[in-house]
Amino acid sequence: MGQFRQISTFVEVVARGSLSAAARAEGIAPAMIGRRLDALESRLGVKLLQRTTRKLALTDEGAAFLEDCQRILAELEEAESAVAERSAHATGHLMISAPAGFGRQHVAPLLPSFLAEHRDVTATLNMSDRVVDIVGEGIDVAIRIASLSDSNLVSVKLADNERVIVGAPSYLKRYGEPKTLADLARHNCLAISSEGSQRGWTLRENERNVVLKVSGNMGCNDGQVLHEWALAGKGLAWRSMWEVGSAIEAGKLQTVLDQHAAPGNDIYAVFAQRRHLPLRIRAFVDFLRHTYAQPDYWRKSGK
């Protein structure tokens, strides 16, 4: 119980931004919060928070530990709620946000089945490649494919994902395969671009992630268009395996620079941190996680 209290205190302090705010929420003295954090850091043998009288800052170890703690607490709350509400059923309207391409292929086709199982739930699916403001825009659950860092949100991993650089065999035969990241400078790279700003490609070099601004004669704010251009042999594209896996398997696309693939682009469900999550949100997240975990799902869906 003591270890669990230390962990929950750590998460609460980060979420509220200070020891005093966490203490007020729990109705105890800030010194007690501080002792719990000290005990947790002593037990783990690492510094989780840099604390001054004016602000808190997560260490690298603290940021990594926070993600695991949030997941564990969310799963525990989910398990408790599942037992307590086994006889209950989901109701209400569900606001869902998803990236356009992924939502089109892997959320929209599943939504009718979910609603058939939960007949008192209705849903709106908003598809956009921008990062939505979950709280400000009233989103119940957002699907994100990224390395997550917002400590004020709860994330549940739905599935693994990998992003790869791909090109058509015809393009690679004509221009050759890049062997290093520097070689990308002489290739036509097809990148996500919106309002004159390029998102860049996140790759791995010298054991760290780097964001490369690539160059090419075409850009687009729609990933599906980049996929189609790559299939047509117009250049290299940096795409997710959930999108290009079937084309790779069919020999229509080839991967290059696989040794530079960066981790941290997995598929998550993200929602605002709250103690009593509506059953409709839990049910939808569980539905996606269960569906994506099926051994043949990604193969049938194009992965």
Side-chain angles (χ1 to χ4, degrees), residues 282-300:
R282 286 200 305 275
F284 182 64
V285 171
D286 285 345
F287 176 82
L288 291 182
R289 187 163 52 176
H290 174 75
T291 302
Y292 296 159
Q294 297 304 304
D296 60 349
Y297 171 79
W298 297 104
R299 178 175 57 83
K300 288 182 177 180

Side-chain angles (χ1 to χ4, degrees), residues 57-79:
L58 283 165
T59 64
D60 290 343
E61 293 82 4
F65 187 59
L66 177 66
E67 183 176 342
D68 289 334
C69 289
Q70 289 175 326
R71 174 181 52 78
I72 290 168
L73 292 175
E75 290 177 354
L76 177 60
E77 184 174 343
E78 180 182 332

Side-chain angles (χ1 to χ4, degrees), residues 96-98 102 106-108 110-111 114 141-143 157-159 267-269 281-294 297-298:
I96 308 162
S97 172
F102 186 85
H106 300 292
V107 181
L110 303 178
L111 197 53
F114 171 76
V141 57
I143 310 303
K157 185 175 177 178
L158 299 176
I267 303 163
Y268 292 87
I281 299 178
R282 286 200 305 275
F284 182 64
V285 171
D286 285 345
F287 176 82
L288 291 182
R289 187 163 52 176
H290 174 75
T291 302
Y292 296 159
Q294 297 304 304
Y297 171 79
W298 297 104

Side-chain angles (χ1 to χ4, degrees), residues 30-300:
M32 179 64 72
I33 297 292
R35 283 195 288 272
R36 290 179 188 171
L37 292 177
D38 290 340
L40 177 61
E41 291 177 334
S42 177
R43 180 164 58 84
L44 296 176
V46 296
K47 193 73 174 174
L48 301 174
L49 288 166
Q50 297 290 351
R51 288 179 268 167
T52 69
T53 55
R54 303 182 69 178
K55 66 176 183 177
L56 294 174
L58 283 165
T59 64
D60 290 343
E61 293 82 4
F65 187 59
L66 177 66
E67 183 176 342
D68 289 334
C69 289
Q70 289 175 326
R71 174 181 52 78
I72 290 168
L73 292 175
E75 290 177 354
L76 177 60
E77 184 174 343
E78 180 182 332
E80 290 178 344
S81 298
V83 172
E85 301 179 11
R86 185 159 295 173
S87 61
H89 65 282
T91 62
H93 191 70
L94 191 61
M95 292 292 294
I96 308 162
S97 172
F102 186 85
R104 191 178 299 116
Q105 294 186 45
H106 300 292
V107 181
L110 303 178
L111 197 53
S113 296
F114 171 76
L115 296 178
E117 292 182 12
H118 303 276
R119 296 187 178 277
D120 290 328
V121 175
T122 58
T124 297
L125 174 59
N126 294 319
M127 296 193 297
S128 173
D129 287 327
R130 68 181 178 85
V131 178
V132 299
D133 178 355
I134 291 178
V135 176
E137 298 181 41
I139 301 297
D140 290 309
V141 57
I143 310 303
R144 289 186 179 171
I145 305 173
S147 178
L148 302 178
S149 60
D150 192 334
S151 60
N152 294 319
L153 300 173
V154 175
S155 60
V156 175
K157 185 175 177 178
L158 299 176
D160 294 327
N161 181 50
E162 182 182 2
R163 284 181 175 170
V164 292
I165 301 174
V166 294
S170 60
Y171 175 87
L172 296 173
K173 182 177 180 180
R174 183 175 180 181
Y175 295 102
E177 294 187 20
K179 301 300 182 184
T180 68
L181 294 187
D183 289 343
L184 291 175
R186 62 180 178 81
H187 281 271
N188 197 41
C189 296
L190 311 169
I192 289 287
S193 181
S194 178
E195 298 179 354
S197 177
Q198 183 193 123
R199 184 174 298 178
W201 295 2
T202 303
L203 300 165
R204 195 76 171 170
E205 185 176 37
N206 297 327
E207 299 184 354
R208 65 185 182 91
N209 287 0
V210 295
V211 178
L212 294 184
K213 296 294 185 179
V214 294
S215 60
N217 65 356
M218 294 189 294
C220 185
N221 64 349
D222 188 324
Q224 180 61 31
V225 172
L226 300 183
H227 181 194
E228 293 170 357
W229 283 343
L231 284 171
K234 303 304 181 183
L236 301 179
W238 181 59
R239 308 307 304 148
S240 288
M241 283 296 292
W242 59 258
E243 179 185 9
V244 299
S246 60
I248 293 170
E249 186 174 350
K252 297 178 181 179
L253 291 173
Q254 295 176 212
T255 63
V256 296
L257 298 173
D258 291 347
Q259 70 274 23
H260 292 286
N265 291 310
D266 295 325
I267 303 163
Y268 292 87
V270 181
F271 41 90
Q273 188 166 331
R274 60 185 92 175
R275 298 188 65 84
H276 301 291
L277 196 66
L279 183 58
R280 64 181 178 274
I281 299 178
R282 286 200 305 275
F284 182 64
V285 171
D286 285 345
F287 176 82
L288 291 182
R289 187 163 52 176
H290 174 75
T291 302
Y292 296 159
Q294 297 304 304
D296 60 349
Y297 171 79
W298 297 104
R299 178 175 57 83
K300 288 182 177 180

